[in-house]
Amino acid sequence: MRIGFVGLGKMGAQMTERLLEGGHSVVAFDLDQAAVTAAAQKGAEPASSLKGLASKLEPPRAVWVMVPAGEPTEETIWSLAGILGSGDVIIDGGNSHYTDSVRRARALKDHNLSFVDCGTSGGVWGLKAGYCLMIGGDKEVVDRLQPIFESLAPPGGYAHLGPSGAGHFVKMVHNGVEYGLLQAYAEGFELLEAKKDYGLDTAAVARLWGQGSVVRSWLLELAADALGKDPHLAGIKPYVVDSGEGRWTLFEAVDQAVPAPVMAEALFARFRSRQEESFAAKFVAALRNEFGGHKVEKD
């Protein structure tokens, strides 16, 4: 297939390359000209603008948008809506909120444009291993795009999950689960690190658990790699960001009255990591001193 690809960041550039390796023809655009040049060197046809990209595609056109969620995605989709024509399709592969995808699909239908929301997981390893694709949209449109999904995903690695919004909803929950998994591993490995009696090789433990253990996973493989490079993670600041999906998942859990304490604690742990000092911790220490005379550590 011939497809337009907008957004050539860490994932977008590698997805473009995987599509090219799959035999597809890709017209690539990014605001960063260096990224467009790099994609062209891999075999993509460069475009200098969204209009230029659209002009290089034949109807019915398909354009994959892989830019940051929020305003960048909104601006890109509506710029494309003013350029593309009846029967064309826009695919949002970023981490948009699923309600935005539902809204965009309805609004684009008024322009006789189709919209597919495609939650994409795989990170910077996707070029080699493939991407897990969680897809929402009209079945007829999704079926037409099947060759693209087959090239991007490993065998069994994509699924049409339902109407518009379903793909990004499933990706949102996926990321909430990821928060919990990361936090559980983090607490376990902190305990291993704290137990100095045995001089544990935490990278070796990660590799060991990856072989037949009930907690084996790709994340453990990555943990073994990270700990092998820096056993005590001395070169990393304990500051963890959240990109929004964990919060959205918890908001949805509240709306649906679904208990999700592990995801909530994982998100709050990220908030705590960003505090240079915790007023709440000081508060607890002060009250323990007040009611029990417990020692207070002074700065």
Side-chain angles (χ1 to χ4, degrees), residues 155-177:
Y158 76 92
H160 179 213
L161 298 167
S164 298
H168 279 148
F169 179 81
V170 172
K171 178 55 162 57
M172 177 190 74
V173 177
H174 164 283
N175 283 22
V177 172

mmCIF file of all heavy atoms in Angstrom, residues 155-177:
data_model
loop_
_atom_site.group_PDB
_atom_site.id
_atom_site.type_symbol
_atom_site.label_atom_id
_atom_site.label_comp_id
_atom_site.label_asym_id
_atom_site.label_seq_id
_atom_site.Cartn_x
_atom_site.Cartn_y
_atom_site.Cartn_z
ATOM 1 N N PRO A 155 3.066 -11.417 14.322
ATOM 2 C CA PRO A 155 1.908 -12.308 14.133
ATOM 3 C C PRO A 155 0.982 -12.274 15.353
ATOM 4 O O PRO A 155 1.423 -12.428 16.489
ATOM 5 C CB PRO A 155 2.556 -13.686 13.964
ATOM 6 C CG PRO A 155 3.902 -13.392 13.391
ATOM 7 C CD PRO A 155 4.345 -12.122 14.049
ATOM 8 N N GLY A 156 -0.301 -12.039 15.103
ATOM 9 C CA GLY A 156 -1.273 -11.948 16.191
ATOM 10 C C GLY A 156 -1.195 -10.662 16.988
ATOM 11 O O GLY A 156 -1.827 -10.544 18.044
ATOM 12 N N GLY A 157 -0.460 -9.686 16.482
ATOM 13 C CA GLY A 157 -0.192 -8.481 17.255
ATOM 14 C C GLY A 157 -1.085 -7.299 16.958
ATOM 15 O O GLY A 157 -0.775 -6.179 17.376
ATOM 16 N N TYR A 158 -2.184 -7.510 16.221
ATOM 17 C CA TYR A 158 -3.139 -6.414 16.030
ATOM 18 C C TYR A 158 -4.544 -6.966 16.086
ATOM 19 O O TYR A 158 -4.784 -8.147 15.806
ATOM 20 C CB TYR A 158 -2.891 -5.676 14.702
ATOM 21 C CG TYR A 158 -3.368 -6.417 13.475
ATOM 22 C CD1 TYR A 158 -4.649 -6.211 12.963
ATOM 23 C CD2 TYR A 158 -2.529 -7.306 12.822
ATOM 24 C CE1 TYR A 158 -5.085 -6.894 11.830
ATOM 25 C CE2 TYR A 158 -2.952 -7.991 11.683
ATOM 26 C CZ TYR A 158 -4.228 -7.778 11.193
ATOM 27 O OH TYR A 158 -4.663 -8.448 10.082
ATOM 28 N N ALA A 159 -5.490 -6.099 16.475
ATOM 29 C CA ALA A 159 -6.885 -6.536 16.541
ATOM 30 C C ALA A 159 -7.804 -5.346 16.390
ATOM 31 O O ALA A 159 -7.546 -4.260 16.937
ATOM 32 C CB ALA A 159 -7.179 -7.253 17.863
ATOM 33 N N HIS A 160 -8.878 -5.543 15.630
ATOM 34 C CA HIS A 160 -9.947 -4.555 15.547
ATOM 35 C C HIS A 160 -10.864 -4.808 16.732
ATOM 36 O O HIS A 160 -11.522 -5.839 16.819
ATOM 37 C CB HIS A 160 -10.708 -4.698 14.227
ATOM 38 C CG HIS A 160 -11.834 -3.727 14.098
ATOM 39 N ND1 HIS A 160 -13.005 -4.036 13.430
ATOM 40 C CD2 HIS A 160 -11.989 -2.457 14.563
ATOM 41 C CE1 HIS A 160 -13.816 -2.994 13.482
ATOM 42 N NE2 HIS A 160 -13.222 -2.034 14.165
ATOM 43 N N LEU A 161 -10.914 -3.861 17.660
ATOM 44 C CA LEU A 161 -11.569 -4.078 18.947
ATOM 45 C C LEU A 161 -12.978 -3.515 19.037
ATOM 46 O O LEU A 161 -13.693 -3.808 19.998
ATOM 47 C CB LEU A 161 -10.698 -3.477 20.058
ATOM 48 C CG LEU A 161 -9.313 -4.122 20.159
ATOM 49 C CD1 LEU A 161 -8.397 -3.281 21.033
ATOM 50 C CD2 LEU A 161 -9.406 -5.536 20.677
ATOM 51 N N GLY A 162 -13.376 -2.709 18.062
ATOM 52 C CA GLY A 162 -14.712 -2.148 18.115
ATOM 53 C C GLY A 162 -14.789 -0.815 17.401
ATOM 54 O O GLY A 162 -13.890 -0.455 16.635
ATOM 55 N N PRO A 163 -15.850 -0.048 17.642
ATOM 56 C CA PRO A 163 -16.035 1.232 16.967
ATOM 57 C C PRO A 163 -15.046 2.289 17.433
ATOM 58 O O PRO A 163 -14.185 2.031 18.291
ATOM 59 C CB PRO A 163 -17.474 1.603 17.339
ATOM 60 C CG PRO A 163 -17.698 0.929 18.649
ATOM 61 C CD PRO A 163 -16.954 -0.363 18.570
ATOM 62 N N SER A 164 -15.183 3.464 16.882
ATOM 63 C CA SER A 164 -14.255 4.557 17.187
ATOM 64 C C SER A 164 -14.119 4.769 18.692
ATOM 65 O O SER A 164 -15.107 4.829 19.409
ATOM 66 C CB SER A 164 -14.754 5.852 16.531
ATOM 67 O OG SER A 164 -14.785 5.709 15.128
ATOM 68 N N GLY A 165 -12.890 4.875 19.129
ATOM 69 C CA GLY A 165 -12.590 5.056 20.541
ATOM 70 C C GLY A 165 -12.141 3.781 21.218
ATOM 71 O O GLY A 165 -11.423 3.828 22.228
ATOM 72 N N ALA A 166 -12.542 2.624 20.700
ATOM 73 C CA ALA A 166 -12.204 1.352 21.349
ATOM 74 C C ALA A 166 -10.696 1.116 21.393
ATOM 75 O O ALA A 166 -10.170 0.617 22.394
ATOM 76 C CB ALA A 166 -12.894 0.192 20.625
ATOM 77 N N GLY A 167 -10.010 1.465 20.319
ATOM 78 C CA GLY A 167 -8.571 1.254 20.271
ATOM 79 C C GLY A 167 -7.835 2.056 21.320
ATOM 80 O O GLY A 167 -7.002 1.529 22.066
ATOM 81 N N HIS A 168 -8.160 3.344 21.398
ATOM 82 C CA HIS A 168 -7.481 4.186 22.371
ATOM 83 C C HIS A 168 -7.934 3.908 23.802
ATOM 84 O O HIS A 168 -7.172 4.126 24.746
ATOM 85 C CB HIS A 168 -7.672 5.665 22.011
ATOM 86 C CG HIS A 168 -6.728 6.131 20.952
ATOM 87 N ND1 HIS A 168 -7.052 7.103 20.021
ATOM 88 C CD2 HIS A 168 -5.460 5.745 20.649
ATOM 89 C CE1 HIS A 168 -6.025 7.293 19.215
ATOM 90 N NE2 HIS A 168 -5.050 6.478 19.582
ATOM 91 N N PHE A 169 -9.158 3.420 23.975
ATOM 92 C CA PHE A 169 -9.595 3.036 25.320
ATOM 93 C C PHE A 169 -8.766 1.852 25.824
ATOM 94 O O PHE A 169 -8.263 1.859 26.952
ATOM 95 C CB PHE A 169 -11.079 2.668 25.325
ATOM 96 C CG PHE A 169 -11.581 2.251 26.679
ATOM 97 C CD1 PHE A 169 -11.919 3.202 27.629
ATOM 98 C CD2 PHE A 169 -11.686 0.909 27.015
ATOM 99 C CE1 PHE A 169 -12.357 2.821 28.897
ATOM 100 C CE2 PHE A 169 -12.121 0.513 28.269
ATOM 101 C CZ PHE A 169 -12.460 1.483 29.220
ATOM 102 N N VAL A 170 -8.601 0.826 24.972
ATOM 103 C CA VAL A 170 -7.824 -0.347 25.367
ATOM 104 C C VAL A 170 -6.367 0.040 25.611
ATOM 105 O O VAL A 170 -5.727 -0.442 26.552
ATOM 106 C CB VAL A 170 -7.940 -1.456 24.307
ATOM 107 C CG1 VAL A 170 -6.990 -2.613 24.608
ATOM 108 C CG2 VAL A 170 -9.375 -1.965 24.249
ATOM 109 N N LYS A 171 -5.819 0.928 24.786
ATOM 110 C CA LYS A 171 -4.428 1.374 24.992
ATOM 111 C C LYS A 171 -4.296 2.132 26.303
ATOM 112 O O LYS A 171 -3.286 2.016 27.015
ATOM 113 C CB LYS A 171 -3.981 2.248 23.823
ATOM 114 C CG LYS A 171 -2.549 2.809 23.951
ATOM 115 C CD LYS A 171 -1.524 1.706 24.175
ATOM 116 C CE LYS A 171 -0.098 2.157 23.879
ATOM 117 N NZ LYS A 171 0.365 3.314 24.627
ATOM 118 N N MET A 172 -5.294 2.919 26.667
ATOM 119 C CA MET A 172 -5.276 3.660 27.929
ATOM 120 C C MET A 172 -5.189 2.693 29.106
ATOM 121 O O MET A 172 -4.353 2.855 30.008
ATOM 122 C CB MET A 172 -6.530 4.521 28.044
ATOM 123 C CG MET A 172 -6.659 5.274 29.349
ATOM 124 S SD MET A 172 -8.292 6.034 29.517
ATOM 125 C CE MET A 172 -9.305 4.584 29.887
ATOM 126 N N VAL A 173 -6.043 1.653 29.090
ATOM 127 C CA VAL A 173 -6.025 0.673 30.177
ATOM 128 C C VAL A 173 -4.706 -0.100 30.171
ATOM 129 O O VAL A 173 -4.130 -0.395 31.228
ATOM 130 C CB VAL A 173 -7.228 -0.277 30.065
ATOM 131 C CG1 VAL A 173 -7.171 -1.346 31.148
ATOM 132 C CG2 VAL A 173 -8.540 0.507 30.168
ATOM 133 N N HIS A 174 -4.206 -0.420 28.987
ATOM 134 C CA HIS A 174 -2.891 -1.070 28.847
ATOM 135 C C HIS A 174 -1.828 -0.276 29.591
ATOM 136 O O HIS A 174 -1.006 -0.835 30.329
ATOM 137 C CB HIS A 174 -2.556 -1.183 27.354
ATOM 138 C CG HIS A 174 -1.115 -1.461 27.045
ATOM 139 N ND1 HIS A 174 -0.136 -0.486 27.107
ATOM 140 C CD2 HIS A 174 -0.476 -2.605 26.653
ATOM 141 C CE1 HIS A 174 1.030 -1.013 26.768
ATOM 142 N NE2 HIS A 174 0.848 -2.287 26.488
ATOM 143 N N ASN A 175 -1.828 1.036 29.423
ATOM 144 C CA ASN A 175 -0.809 1.849 30.065
ATOM 145 C C ASN A 175 -1.025 1.935 31.571
ATOM 146 O O ASN A 175 -0.070 2.034 32.339
ATOM 147 C CB ASN A 175 -0.785 3.245 29.442
ATOM 148 C CG ASN A 175 -0.075 3.245 28.095
ATOM 149 O OD1 ASN A 175 0.033 2.209 27.446
ATOM 150 N ND2 ASN A 175 0.409 4.392 27.669
ATOM 151 N N GLY A 176 -2.291 1.883 32.004
ATOM 152 C CA GLY A 176 -2.554 1.834 33.438
ATOM 153 C C GLY A 176 -1.989 0.561 34.050
ATOM 154 O O GLY A 176 -1.387 0.577 35.126
ATOM 155 N N VAL A 177 -2.179 -0.563 33.367
ATOM 156 C CA VAL A 177 -1.615 -1.838 33.819
ATOM 157 C C VAL A 177 -0.090 -1.747 33.855
ATOM 158 O O VAL A 177 0.564 -2.229 34.794
ATOM 159 C CB VAL A 177 -2.071 -2.986 32.896
ATOM 160 C CG1 VAL A 177 -1.328 -4.283 33.225
ATOM 161 C CG2 VAL A 177 -3.577 -3.205 33.019
#
